[in-house]
């Protein structure tokens, strides 16, 4: 230790529901790709989260857990729709809450963004096949009926209830990255003419109903976070009916304010645009350093508008940037994902050892340009999934592993389905 000054990242934070988190490290959701049969959590989840909890973060958010095992966003997702896996969920939660750590389950439904290789019958706010290069990877979705929408709302609440029962200490509702809730928010995906479509107050109705149902299920003292895109613009979706733009920053801030009024505990700010795809790149540390912390301009815009805590996610690689963002007040928590796969005890190193280095993300490459180009985003995601699986087996991450092994890992574990894009281009 070089001085007695307590860094901003080390200060506790009390959330609106009354829960206190011990420091400002918010491990963002990463699909672990390690579910067992029937989407059950496994021993690997337990070991991985034990490692992270011992690594010193204040909050660990799990990878997205699906509310319906017939509707997965990615191969290897955990799904929780009843209590059949309660025993394993309890062990997972226990591991993730060691060391005074909060462990929150991220809850999700993929909507149309469920690859055709694992789902031939996806649902979405509106029907219609996606045109363009990504259309062929997703089956044409069926438009949800109001009855089906209510069933999904009930499922989110039920999954949250089971998460609490299992010992998770909070939940995060996934409303970003082009999945179902984001599809409802976005005029590019939602062309409904009933009470769930039209102006933003109607497009946001599904999210608000999910939020209220989850709050009802977990009670007033349990943390609920919502992960939201800063905007989808300039994402456009081309369908047979024309070209539609995504939802924008002004709408996003309006949604945040409404969530604040309804009692949300934290907004996790994310996003991803065509100009700035966040993880669909194989480029390495130089490009990553140049890019810096993501969505800072938007976070500055949000600062004066909200009192609820924010976790700004993406691009944090060193203590300096973290201290600056917290000091400036543009975020109250440091959302961080990939660096914690490479350095699982980064929070402890920064808080306890005052480590002031930078975590460099590797350049993930197969060595073949054509393959890198074809599988860019999947390559990076699979590489990090492979590393998480190493941690789940009690091994250390190995930054020297090449892209080809990541692709083979994905195919070996999930079959060729692993090579379908997980998210439409432009979504993080
Ligand atoms: C392997 C992998 C899986 C991810 N899975 C999820 C997920 O399940 N839910 C989610 O909201 N974000 C997911 N993300 C996005 C991260 O939470 C985070 O927003 C993104 O990686 C940017 O943060 P970083 O620069 O600190 O990595 C994933 C990212 C990676 C690399």
């Amino acid at each position: 230790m070089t001085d007695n000054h307590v860094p901003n990242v080390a200060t506790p934070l009390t959330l609106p529901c009354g829960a206190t988190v011990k420091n400002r490290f918010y491990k963002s959701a990463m699909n672990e790709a390690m579910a067992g049969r029937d989407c059950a959590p496994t021993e690997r989840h337990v070991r991985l989260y034990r490692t992270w909890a011992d690594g010193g973060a204040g909050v660990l958010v799990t990878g997205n857990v699906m509310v319906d095992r017939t509707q997965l966003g990615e191969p290897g997702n955990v799904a929780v729709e009843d209590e059949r896996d309660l025993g394993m969920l309890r062990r997972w939660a226990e591991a993730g809450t060691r060391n005074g750590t909060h462990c929150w389950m991220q809850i999700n439904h993929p909507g149309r963004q469920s690859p055709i290789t694992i789902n031939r019958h996806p649902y979405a706010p509106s029907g219609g096949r996606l045109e363009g290069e990504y259309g062929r990877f997703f089956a044409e979705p069926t438009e949800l009926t109001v009855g089906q929408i209510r069933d999904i709302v009930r499922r989110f609440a039920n999954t949250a209830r089971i998460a609490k029962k299992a010992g998770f200490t909070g939940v995060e509702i996934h409303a970003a990255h082009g999945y179902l809730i984001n599809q409802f928010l976005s005029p590019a995906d939602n062309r409904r003419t009933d009470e769930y479509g039209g102006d933003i107050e109607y497009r946001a109705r599904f999210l608000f109903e999910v939020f209220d149902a989850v709050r009802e299920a977990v009670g007033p003292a349990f943390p609920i976070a919502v992960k939201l895109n800063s905007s989808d613009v300039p994402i456009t979706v081309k369908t047979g009916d024309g070209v539609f733009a995504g939802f924008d920053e002004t709408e996003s801030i309006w949604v945040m304010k409404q969530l604040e009024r309804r009692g949300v505990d934290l907004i996790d700010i994310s996003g991803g645009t065509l100009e700035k795809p966040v993880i669909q790149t194989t480029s390495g540390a130089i490009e990553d350093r140049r890019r810096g912390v993501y969505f800072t301009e938007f976070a500055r815009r949000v600062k004066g508008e909200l009192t609820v805590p924010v976790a700004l996610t993406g691009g944090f690689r060193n203590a300096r940037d973290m201290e600056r963002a917290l000091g400036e007040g543009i975020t109250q928590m440091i959302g961080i994902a990939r660096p914690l796969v490479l350095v699982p005890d980064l929070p402890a190193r920064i808080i306890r050892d005052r480590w002031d280095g930078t975590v460099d993300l590797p350049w993930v490459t197969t060595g073949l340009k054509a393959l890198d180009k074809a599988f860019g985003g999947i390559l990076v995601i699979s590489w990090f999934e492979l590393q998480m699986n190493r941690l789940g087996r009690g091994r250390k991450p190995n930054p020297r592993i090449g892209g080809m092994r990541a692709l083979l890992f994905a195919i070996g574990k999930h079959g060729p389905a692993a090579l379908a894009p997980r998210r439409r281009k432009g979504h993080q």
Side-chain angles (χ1 to χ4, degrees), residues 336-350:
I336 179 164
R338 286 165 293 178
L340 292 185
V341 177
L342 296 166
V343 190
D345 63 345
L346 183 67
R349 287 195 199 186
I350 289 177

Side-chain angles (χ1 to χ4, degrees), residues 28-31 63-64 106 174 177 227 270 278-279 294 313-315 317 335-339 381 384-385 388 423 428:
S28 288
M30 278 180 284
N31 175 44
N64 55 174
Q106 189 186 54
H174 197 348
H177 301 173
K227 188 163 184 171
S270 189
V278 177
I279 49 178
Y294 311 157
T313 295
R317 308 289 179 252
I336 179 164
R338 286 165 293 178
I381 288 178
F384 281 95
E385 288 174 349
M388 282 188 273
R423 301 174 186 108
Q428 185 182 345

Side-chain angles (χ1 to χ4, degrees), residues 110-139:
R112 78 195 310 162
Q113 212 163 252
S114 182
I116 194 166
T117 41
I118 51 174
N119 184 4
R120 301 201 155 265
H121 302 287
Y123 293 92
S126 304
R129 185 181 258 286
L130 283 170
E131 289 180 10
E133 62 172 314
Y134 276 72
R136 69 197 162 95
F137 294 111
F138 300 97

Side-chain angles (χ1 to χ4, degrees), residues 9 19 26 40 70 125 169 181 196 210 224 290 327 357 362 414:
V9 277
Y26 189 82
T70 71
T169 54
I181 299 179
Y196 291 98
V210 167
I224 307 178
R290 194 186 58 73
H414 309 298

Side-chain angles (χ1 to χ4, degrees), residues 279-294:
I279 49 178
Q280 290 189 323
T281 170
T282 54
S283 53
I286 296 171
E287 166 66 9
D288 190 57
R289 281 191 185 203
R290 194 186 58 73
R291 208 190 279 164
V293 177
Y294 311 157

Side-chain angles (χ1 to χ4, degrees), residues 21-232:
V21 298
K22 67 178 180 179
N23 64 47
R24 306 307 177 96
F25 282 98
Y26 189 82
K27 182 247 149 218
S28 288
M30 278 180 284
N31 175 44
E32 305 86 6
M34 45 176 78
R37 271 174 72 124
D38 288 336
C39 309
T42 63
E43 218 37 69
R44 288 187 188 188
H45 289 93
V46 176
R47 210 176 281 126
L48 174 62
Y49 281 78
R50 191 183 297 140
T51 304
W52 271 328
D54 289 343
V59 178
L60 303 177
V61 183
T62 68
N64 55 174
V65 168
M66 301 293 144
V67 299
D68 180 344
R69 48 173 54 74
T70 71
Q71 304 293 314
L72 303 183
E74 304 95 13
N77 284 155
V78 171
V80 173
E81 51 182 59
D82 52 41
E83 297 188 9
R84 74 181 82 169
D85 296 318
L86 196 57
M88 213 47 212
L89 286 169
R90 283 203 163 116
R91 298 208 39 231
W92 183 5
E94 197 185 337
T97 53
R98 277 158 69 101
N99 197 20
T101 313
H102 267 269
C103 188
W104 298 357
M105 182 187 284
Q106 189 186 54
I107 305 178
N108 194 19
H109 186 300
R112 78 195 310 162
Q113 212 163 252
S114 182
I116 194 166
T117 41
I118 51 174
N119 184 4
R120 301 201 155 265
H121 302 287
Y123 293 92
S126 304
R129 185 181 258 286
L130 283 170
E131 289 180 10
E133 62 172 314
Y134 276 72
R136 69 197 162 95
F137 294 111
F138 300 97
E140 183 165 348
T142 307
E143 177 169 316
L144 287 160
T145 64
V146 169
Q148 287 170 324
I149 291 174
R150 298 211 171 115
D151 176 61
I152 297 174
V153 170
R154 189 193 54 74
R155 282 171 177 275
F156 269 91
N158 189 44
T159 304
R161 178 188 64 76
I162 297 169
K164 184 179 177 193
K165 186 168 177 181
F168 289 90
T169 54
V171 290
E172 178 172 274
I173 297 166
H174 197 348
H177 301 173
Y179 294 111
L180 184 63
I181 299 179
N182 196 175
Q183 288 160 31
F184 268 95
L185 289 170
S186 171
D189 287 306
N190 181 350
R191 292 177 303 286
R192 299 178 74 94
T193 52
D194 63 5
E195 68 266 38
Y196 291 98
D199 289 344
I200 184 64
E201 45 283 36
Y202 297 99
R203 278 180 276 125
R205 179 186 293 254
F206 177 60
L207 168 59
F208 298 157
E209 286 184 0
V210 167
F211 180 82
D212 292 348
V214 168
R215 177 56 84 203
E216 174 82 27
V218 298
F222 195 75
I224 307 178
V226 173
K227 188 163 184 171
L228 203 63
N229 273 7
S230 54
S231 85
D232 294 340

